[in-house]
Amino acid sequence: MTASLVSFGAALTISVVTVIVVFALIRRNLRDLLKEVLDLPPGTDFYLRILFIGLLFVALSSALGESYNFEKDTPFMEYVWRTSSVLSSVFMYISLFMALYLVLVTILVAVLKRRNEQ
């Protein structure tokens, strides 16, 4: 029971830390891009918050969606493999969300840039 909780806690912690690191790496550049295109500070904050909330929910839902039911005499490596399997799905869903968000922001920039140039 304790090893299951440690495995679950490790997967959950690594998922949340990954979201924070990814958001910290792209926040400043995305903020500058949106400020230039939108000219609305509330719009920039909105898109940044949607990015963070989306990343957080994707990571939490994929980390919480797995079960950690092990028998009493399960070897330690089974916990490691389960944790790495959970992290694999977390990273996949974060990547998919980032790709979709990138498409959305690219469309937003392309549409608003053309409108402002004319």
Side-chain angles (χ1 to χ4, degrees):
M1 179 73 176
T2 305
S4 296
L5 287 176
V6 170
S7 179
F8 171 73
L12 195 62
T13 303
I14 292 171
S15 300
V16 171
V17 167
T18 301
V19 166
I20 292 170
V21 167
V22 167
F23 184 72
L25 288 173
I26 63 175
R27 180 186 59 211
R28 187 171 42 102
N29 293 332
L30 183 61
R31 179 180 295 278
D32 293 344
L33 174 69
L34 291 173
K35 276 184 182 178
E36 183 178 330
V37 172
L38 291 179
D39 289 331
L40 294 170
T44 301
D45 292 338
F46 172 75
Y47 280 104
L48 286 171
R49 287 181 182 152
I50 289 296
L51 174 65
F52 183 72
I53 291 170
L55 284 172
L56 187 63
F57 284 177
V58 162
L60 289 177
S61 68
S62 56
L64 295 174
E66 297 290 328
S67 66
Y68 289 88
N69 295 331
F70 293 106
E71 294 180 16
K72 198 169 194 173
D73 57 347
T74 303
F76 174 75
M77 280 310 291
E78 291 295 324
Y79 296 103
V80 173
W81 286 115
R82 173 64 66 166
T83 305
S84 65
S85 172
V86 169
L87 291 177
S88 171
S89 67
V90 167
F91 296 152
M92 180 188 67
Y93 287 120
I94 286 175
S95 298
L96 287 174
F97 180 80
M98 291 295 296
L100 291 174
Y101 192 84
L102 179 64
V103 168
L104 173 75
V105 169
T106 302
I107 292 170
L108 179 74
V109 167
V111 168
L112 291 179
K113 200 64 162 175
R114 279 194 208 134
R115 189 180 301 163
N116 289 340
E117 288 177 356
Q118 293 178 354

